[in-house]
Amino acid sequence: MGTDDVQQGWKQGGQGWVANERILDAAFAPLTQALVERVAWARGDRVLDVGCGTGTLLELGVRDGVEMVGVDVSAAMVEAARRRVPEAMVLETDAGTTDLLEAAPGLPFDHVVSRYGVMFFSDPTTAFDSIRRATRPGATMTFACWRSREENPVFTQGLDLLEAALPEPVPHPAPGAPGPTAFADVERLRVILNAAGWAEIAIEPFDYACRYGLDGSDGVEERLAIIASNGRGVWGRLQDHVGPERQAELLDEVRADLRSRRVDGVVSLPAAAWLVTARNLGVEASD
């Protein structure tokens, strides 16, 4: 889903998401609920989950009697999703460049859904057009994507302390480049979806709190686990530059920082997304 670097990063980093599946599902629970409510799938529908990860939405759909097809570029996450939801079809491929009805034979999809899985296409207009062509006229697409980095403390809280200890700044994608905040510019996103042939586009802000506590914990160690496994390689880089004693000191600093972000006893970090809905009216995209 996107440039070679981004795609390779997902392939290599998928194990961290698999290991922390329960933490991420808990943190993203408010968004997951909002997505499913907006999709309003019904028993017997055929639904495509783009960037399905470890299968959260696949599992919910199957429980509701929906035929679920998931697509992801990470072999580790595809394997995890297949274990978690054996009733679903899960494909290891790039949804933006694959003939989806050839890869997953059957009727055109009634709905497309994605939780943070569509921001990594190298050519998003072509990708969204390809996805639309796999849906029936009248089908809907519902997805969540991140807003700006500045609006999302969930990106940086705790991690920024580790980044500051590195000898060089950590690079972040340029505005609009494939990456978590590729669609932070809502007007750019609207133009892309229009050009890809989607209609009745609605984009609304969705603010929620990512809460990291599991099984009665305060969430500090859970958030730390996310930072260590999915922090854009920051922890790995840090281990290359500082010794064990300094690493331990930095982790204690991060723990103290996270404790200051507890709400009702649990680490709770603000998250800011766009919730996007659109419809395929059966009209071909313009050249």
Side-chain angles (χ1 to χ4, degrees), residues 169-206:
V170 176
H172 299 286
T181 59
F183 299 140
D185 182 341
V186 68
E187 292 310 316
R188 174 176 179 268
L189 174 56
R190 195 182 301 276
V191 167
I192 288 170
L193 294 177
N194 269 315
W198 291 95
E200 299 181 8
I201 299 163
I203 305 174
E204 61 178 292
F206 185 79

Side-chain angles (χ1 to χ4, degrees), residues 143-182:
F143 66 83
C145 59
W146 295 107
R147 298 199 325 251
S148 69
R149 180 178 171 83
E150 291 72 25
E151 295 173 275
N152 276 289
V154 70
F155 285 5
T156 57
Q157 197 73 38
L159 184 63
D160 51 358
L161 294 174
L162 301 183
E163 289 188 4
L166 289 171
E168 296 180 358
V170 176
H172 299 286
T181 59

Side-chain angles (χ1 to χ4, degrees), residues 12 15 20 22 40 58 68 80 88 113 125 136 162 164-165 176 181 194 196 211 246 259:
Q12 293 175 347
Q15 287 290 357
N20 295 306
R22 289 185 65 223
L58 299 179
M68 297 296 296
V113 66
T125 301
R136 64 167 175 80
L162 301 183
T181 59
N194 269 315
R211 291 176 62 83
R246 180 56 180 149
R259 290 189 189 102

Side-chain angles (χ1 to χ4, degrees), residues 158 160-167 235 237-255:
D160 51 358
L161 294 174
L162 301 183
E163 289 188 4
L166 289 171
W235 180 238
R237 296 184 196 189
L238 197 64
Q239 290 175 305
D240 292 336
H241 287 94
V242 301
E245 184 175 345
R246 180 56 180 149
Q247 290 173 30
E249 292 173 353
L250 286 167
L251 290 179
D252 283 341
E253 291 176 21
V254 172
R255 289 185 176 97

